[in-house]
């Protein structure tokens, strides 16, 4: 492993918990909505969220979010990312709070559509369902799948697909009404942002040869009168390199005009860049010359969607204000996580903490037995956010920081007793009690289990920091004579296993030999060594 790391010096932090909600336009017809069941419950008391207008909930079940709907969305969200579950203390409640907010925004659109008679007609729904039916029935495997799991194509379309299609058509009608971007708007946008659009979307596929001096480059260009680009490169014992998708901003503007002229076969150079000289041949070029060429480019729809998103957000904000609309979270846990994520200043954090602390702690500083675990984890995250904003070197903050650290430690220890297999809480417990060998071993074991399935070349750049942390952690345990033999042996084995996964046979052999010294019967060492050969 030591040799493996010598080859890779750039360390990229691997973020284990990613936010699935950020960046998803809430008004888009997301693919994971395609199998949403229709709402059958009708009691507002059962809703975990609903919209209010002027402080009162609407007597319309389509503007409520019921637990089954949120769970269904969460399940499909995980499925779409190929994830079985998230940490139930820190990741799951945050993601569900985000999803609940997205669903409630959709309910606002439903209310607006009903107000303005923008709901799709029965005929429009049936026509769209016919399109889906045609696609499904043209694929035998799909027909067999829906027959097996839903009892037939008709059952899937009527019970599962139809409610989603109705919502999707409604969404599009609202978008077309309040945020439509027509060709005239796009033309104006094009004229006002031409330089930026060309910088983003002009692309050229080029062949490139580099030289140490200008004289060699000029000689190469002279040879191009007699032979093609690759032949001229071979004659000078040079390798022509492909540079696909070249964008503006790399070479000087006087060369870019030729590179992005749109003419293929154009030779440009010699170009001085750094300590080298380059000669390029344009293989292909996609450039924005005028508005018509822009409409045919890949950037047109991207930019149109950006404009549409901006208009939708402006409409949404103004509609909420004009109608006094509130997205109400009836579930206290999700509401707490939402408010923590929305807060950004120390004053907001402190106000939240004053409200949250009595719900988690009793007056004597112990944790309330009835406090939900997801509220305790929310409190931990809030404390961490508060600590990040406090100047650790400011004397006035010393007492506040000590109090926060004490509260956090109490919460972490409480949750660790119940969830020792949670990587999130185990990491925090290790930060609090680094000298506890059992805590230390548990944390690094969980972290290794988390990254082990992804130890493939395409993922390694994202895992380097975690890999380094795992190696350092297990190494310190393996060398610690205060640790039990079982713990040390397991640490050596994990180091061997990690080295093998990284194809570092030298380190793997070293760890095997160290393991054999302290536990000669741990595995079949000869077989393991032969495998490394």
């Amino acid at each position: 492993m030591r040799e493996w790391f010598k080859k890779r010096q750039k360390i990229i932090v691997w973020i284990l918990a990613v936010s699935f909600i950020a960046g998803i336009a809430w008004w888009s017809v997301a693919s994971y909505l395609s199998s949403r069941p229709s709402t059958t419950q009708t009691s507002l008391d059962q809703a975990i969220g609903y919209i209010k207008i002027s402080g009162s909930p609407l007597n319309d079940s389509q503007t409520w979010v019921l637990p089954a709907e949120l769970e269904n969305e969460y399940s499909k969200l995980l499925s779409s990312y190929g994830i079985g579950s998230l940490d139930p203390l820190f990741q799951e409640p945050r993601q569900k709070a985000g999803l609940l907010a997205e669903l409630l925004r959709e309910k606002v659109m439903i209310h607006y559509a009903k107000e303005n008679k923008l709901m799709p007609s029965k005929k429009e729904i049936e026509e769209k369902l016919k399109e889906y039916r045609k696609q499904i029935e043209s694929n035998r495997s799909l027909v067999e799948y829906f027959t097996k799991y839903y009892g037939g194509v008709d059952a899937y379309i009527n019970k599962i697909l139809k409610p989603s299609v109705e919502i999707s058509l409604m969404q599009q009608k609202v978008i077309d009404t309040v945020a439509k971007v027509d060709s005239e708007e796009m033309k104006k946008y094009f004229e006002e942002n031409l330089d930026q659009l060309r910088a983003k979307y002009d692309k050229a596929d080029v062949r490139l040869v580099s030289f140490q001096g200008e004289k060699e480059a000029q000689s190469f260009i002279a040879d191009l009168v007699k032979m093609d680009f690759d032949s001229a490169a071979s004659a000078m014992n040079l390798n022509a390199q492909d540079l696909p998708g070249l964008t503006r901003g790399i070479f000087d503007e006087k060369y870019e005009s030729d590179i992005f002229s749109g003419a293929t076969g154009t030779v440009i150079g010699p170009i001085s860049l750094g300590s080298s000289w380059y000669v390029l041949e344009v293989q292909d070029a996609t450039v924005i010359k005028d508005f018509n060429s822009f409409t045919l480019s890949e950037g047109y729809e991207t930019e149109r969607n950006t404009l549409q998103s901006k208009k939708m957000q402006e409409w949404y904000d103004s509609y909420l204000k004009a109608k006094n609309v509130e997205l109400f979270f009836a579930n206290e846990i999700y509401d707490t996580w939402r408010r923590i994520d929305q807060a950004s200043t120390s004053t907001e954090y402190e106000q939240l903490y004053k409200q949250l602390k009595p719900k988690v702690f009793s007056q004597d500083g112990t944790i309330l037995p009835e406090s939900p675990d997801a509220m305790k984890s929310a409190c931990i995250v809030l404390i961490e956010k508060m600590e990040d904003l406090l100047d650790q070197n400011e004397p006035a903050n010393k007492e506040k920081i000590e109090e926060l650290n004490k509260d956090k430690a109490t919460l972490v220890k409480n949750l660790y007793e119940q969830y020792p297999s949670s990587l999130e809480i185990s990491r925090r417990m290790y930060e609090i009690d680094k000298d506890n060998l059992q805590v230390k071993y548990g944390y690094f074991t969980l972290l290794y289990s988390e990254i082990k399935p992804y130890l493939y070349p395409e993922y390694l750049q994202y895992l380097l920091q975690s890999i380094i942390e795992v190696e350092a952690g297990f190494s310190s345990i393996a060398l610690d004579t205060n640790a039990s033999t079982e713990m040390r042996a397991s640490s050596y084995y994990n180091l061997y296993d990690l080295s093998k996964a990284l194809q570092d046979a030298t380190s793997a052999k070293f760890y095997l030999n160290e393991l054999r010294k302290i536990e000669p019967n741990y595995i079949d060492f000869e077989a393991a060594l032969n495998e490394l050969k």
Side-chain angles (χ1 to χ4, degrees):
M1 192 178 301
R2 291 180 292 277
E3 295 177 358
W4 187 85
F5 280 116
K6 287 178 184 177
K7 302 176 185 177
R8 297 161 174 83
Q9 298 180 5
K10 184 178 180 183
I11 298 177
I12 302 175
V13 176
W14 181 53
I15 303 174
L16 290 172
V18 295
S19 175
F20 299 127
I21 302 302
I24 299 176
W26 55 264
W27 51 83
S28 66
V29 184
S31 59
Y32 65 79
L33 299 180
S34 62
S35 60
R36 178 180 300 172
S38 59
T39 300
T40 55
Q41 294 171 288
T42 56
S43 173
L44 182 64
D45 293 338
Q46 295 173 310
I48 55 174
Y50 45 85
I51 64 171
K52 288 182 175 182
I53 295 182
S54 298
S56 300
L58 299 176
N59 188 26
D60 179 0
S61 62
Q62 282 195 299
T63 62
W64 311 339
V65 178
L66 298 158
E69 184 177 8
L70 179 62
E71 290 301 324
N72 190 49
E73 296 306 302
Y74 179 68
S75 175
K76 283 179 288 184
L77 188 65
L78 295 184
S79 179
S80 67
Y81 284 90
I83 297 173
S85 63
L86 291 176
D87 186 281
L89 295 175
F90 294 89
Q91 297 169 353
E92 182 179 326
R94 171 175 279 162
Q95 293 303 328
K96 285 184 176 179
L99 266 179
L100 181 54
E102 303 304 311
L103 289 169
L104 287 172
R105 292 186 182 109
E106 184 186 273
K107 305 305 182 183
V108 173
M109 291 183 72
I110 291 175
H111 177 67
Y112 178 85
K114 287 185 173 183
E115 266 189 328
N116 294 274
K117 297 180 171 55
L118 296 175
M119 297 303 290
S121 66
K122 184 177 179 180
K123 183 179 179 181
E124 288 173 321
I125 295 170
E126 291 303 321
E127 286 178 353
K128 181 59 68 173
L129 290 175
K130 283 181 183 178
E131 292 179 21
Y132 284 121
R133 180 186 295 277
K134 187 176 180 180
Q135 293 175 24
I136 292 170
E137 291 180 344
S138 67
N139 188 319
R140 180 178 295 178
S141 60
L142 274 180
V143 173
E144 292 174 352
Y145 175 85
F146 291 132
T147 300
K148 180 178 179 180
Y149 291 101
Y150 296 96
V153 174
D154 285 342
Y156 172 75
I157 289 176
N158 293 324
K159 295 179 182 179
I160 306 298
L161 194 56
K162 188 174 181 178
S164 176
V165 166
E166 184 175 0
I167 294 293
S168 299
L169 291 174
M170 176 277 299
Q171 287 176 322
Q172 192 58 53
K173 283 179 178 287
V174 173
I175 291 170
D176 291 342
T177 301
V178 304
K180 186 169 182 158
V181 178
D182 58 28
S183 60
E184 286 304 312
E185 286 181 273
M186 286 301 294
K187 189 171 183 179
K188 181 182 178 182
Y189 177 77
F190 170 78
E191 292 168 351
E192 293 175 348
N193 300 276
L194 180 57
D195 290 341
Q196 296 94 313
L197 292 172
R198 283 177 170 168
K200 286 173 69 175
Y201 299 112
D202 280 1
K203 287 183 173 59
D205 297 335
V206 304
R207 297 276 280 164
L208 174 146
V209 179
S210 62
F211 304 89
Q212 294 300 313
E214 183 180 10
K215 186 176 179 181
E216 292 175 280
Q218 292 286 10
S219 177
F220 174 79
I221 291 175
D223 287 343
L224 294 177
V225 177
K226 301 173 287 186
M227 60 188 82
D228 62 36
F229 196 85
D230 286 338
S231 298
S234 296
M236 296 182 71
N237 293 319
L238 299 170
N239 291 320
Q241 298 177 338
D242 287 318
L243 190 60
L246 177 69
T247 57
R248 292 180 181 270
I250 297 176
F251 296 107
D252 192 88
E253 191 174 338
K254 64 181 180 180
Y255 299 115
E256 284 190 347
S257 61
D258 290 328
I259 295 172
F260 297 100
S261 66
T264 60
T266 303
V267 175
I268 300 101
I271 303 173
S272 175
L273 188 65
S275 60
S276 300
W277 292 79
Y278 298 90
V279 177
L280 283 67
E281 182 185 54
V282 179
Q283 303 290 302
D284 189 26
T286 304
V287 295
I288 297 173
K289 296 179 180 178
D290 50 30
F291 181 68
N292 185 56
S293 62
F294 177 53
T295 61
L296 301 174
S297 73
E298 65 179 39
Y300 184 82
E301 281 303 314
T302 300
E303 297 300 320
R304 193 181 73 84
N305 288 336
T306 299
L307 281 179
Q308 193 171 71
S309 295
K310 182 180 179 182
K311 292 181 75 170
M312 274 297 296
Q313 190 63 53
E314 290 172 351
W315 164 81
Y316 179 76
D317 291 340
S318 63
Y319 181 73
L320 261 60
K321 185 176 180 180
K323 295 289 185 177
N324 195 16
V325 178
E326 175 191 354
L327 308 186
F328 183 74
F329 279 45
N331 181 288
E332 187 178 30
I333 290 174
Y334 300 147
D335 186 51
T336 299
W337 277 96
R338 176 185 64 155
R339 291 166 64 200
I340 290 173
D341 280 340
Q342 287 178 340
S344 58
T345 67
S346 57
T347 301
E348 289 175 325
Y349 289 145
E350 286 175 11
Q351 289 176 346
L352 272 174
Y353 194 61
K354 285 180 182 178
Q355 297 168 9
L356 181 56
K357 187 172 180 178
K359 298 176 182 179
V360 176
F361 288 96
S362 61
Q363 291 185 348
D364 63 3
T366 59
I367 293 178
L368 294 170
E370 67 272 18
S371 177
D373 293 334
M375 291 290 274
K376 300 173 192 174
S377 57
C379 197
I380 291 172
V381 170
L382 180 55
I383 289 172
E384 291 170 344
K385 287 179 176 286
M386 294 172 71
E387 290 176 331
D388 288 342
L389 290 183
L390 288 171
D391 185 352
Q392 304 287 322
N393 298 316
E394 178 64 42
N397 291 332
K398 185 177 179 182
E399 186 176 338
K400 183 182 291 186
I401 291 171
E402 287 179 355
E403 180 185 350
L404 290 173
N405 285 337
K406 181 182 177 182
D407 288 349
K408 179 181 174 181
T410 301
L411 289 164
V412 169
K413 290 174 183 177
N414 175 273
L415 290 176
Y416 185 73
E417 289 177 0
Q418 303 174 69
Y419 304 92
S421 61
S422 163
L423 177 60
E424 290 270 359
I425 201 65
S426 182
R427 173 177 63 79
R428 290 170 169 87
M429 188 65 194
Y430 174 62
E431 290 171 355
I432 291 171
D433 194 1
K434 289 183 181 291
D435 294 330
N436 187 316
L437 279 168
Q438 192 61 51
V439 169
K440 185 177 185 179
Y441 175 76
Y443 167 61
F444 287 112
T445 300
L446 288 171
L447 180 58
Y448 183 45
S449 297
E450 189 82 9
I451 68 173
K452 186 175 179 179
Y454 306 101
L455 292 176
Y456 295 101
E458 60 267 34
Y459 300 128
L460 292 181
Q461 61 176 331
Y462 306 109
L463 302 175
L464 288 182
Q465 182 163 310
S466 294
I467 291 171
I468 291 171
E469 189 180 358
V470 166
E471 185 192 27
F474 279 136
S475 294
S476 66
I477 296 171
L479 294 170
D480 192 337
T481 55
N482 290 321
S484 66
T485 301
E486 180 183 357
M487 195 179 290
R488 293 180 65 202
S490 178
S491 297
Y492 272 128
Y493 180 83
N494 285 329
L495 289 166
Y496 148 74
D497 190 57
L498 176 59
S499 300
K500 187 171 67 168
L502 298 176
Q503 299 181 6
D504 180 1
T506 301
S507 294
K509 184 178 180 180
F510 169 80
Y511 291 129
L512 274 179
N513 288 332
E514 292 301 305
L515 173 58
R516 180 148 56 178
K517 290 177 184 177
I518 64 170
E519 194 63 83
N521 299 316
Y522 196 83
I523 59 171
D524 185 338
F525 287 96
E526 294 305 320
L529 288 168
N530 287 331
E531 184 182 351
L532 293 177
K533 292 178 183 179

